[in-house]
Amino acid sequence: MGVSVGLGSGPVLSLDRLVRLGRELRPAVPVGRPRRLAVPDGMTAPLGCDAVAVPAEFGPLVLARLPRVGCVYADDAHWWWIVPSDSDYALQWPSPTQYAAGAVVPDGPPPDLIHRPEGTLPYTPPIPLYLALCRVTGTTPGWSRPISA
């Protein structure tokens, strides 16, 4: 699928290219020297890794609502959930969550791995995580919101 950027036979931008362009327009990771969350030894990430941060007080509430949990990291302020790359495509993650492309987190004390799933994949499925976060934050999922003309 592509999108024409002009009339006639001009260049066509693929959906992948449009998503990447959108990411390039976003502000950088929060202040400080960023670093990536490391996937534990013995695990593979064939879909790439992004992370979703939630305030620490929401972490246990979200955990209790998920049918499957991947790698979760925690520091004093946040719990970080590993999700496949591009899990923000067509989703507006509810506030106060933070989406970290590439699982890049701000500098500071390194988050500790507090949950490691059995098997070799580090991912928490993004749709159940999104729905759990919507529930905990009192946010209506994007696809359930009224559309105005």
Side-chain angles (χ1 to χ4, degrees), residues 1-5 10-18:
M1 182 175 134
V3 176
S4 178
V5 293
V12 175
L13 298 176
S14 70
L15 190 54
D16 286 339
R17 179 70 180 136
L18 289 172

Side-chain angles (χ1 to χ4, degrees), residues 55-131:
E57 65 265 21
F58 292 141
L61 300 172
V62 172
L63 185 65
R65 289 178 162 78
L66 293 172
R68 183 191 183 291
V69 179
C71 289
V72 181
Y73 297 82
D75 58 27
D76 291 337
H78 296 94
W79 283 31
W80 299 88
W81 307 79
I82 298 293
V83 294
S85 290
D86 297 328
S87 291
D88 61 336
Y89 174 72
L91 283 180
Q92 279 188 299
W93 289 85
S95 181
T97 60
Q98 299 170 23
Y99 190 87
V104 175
V105 298
D107 194 18
D112 295 318
L113 179 65
I114 61 169
H115 184 269
R116 178 187 172 141
E118 291 185 24
T120 60
L121 297 176
Y123 307 121
T124 296
I127 298 301
L129 177 60
Y130 173 79
L131 291 172

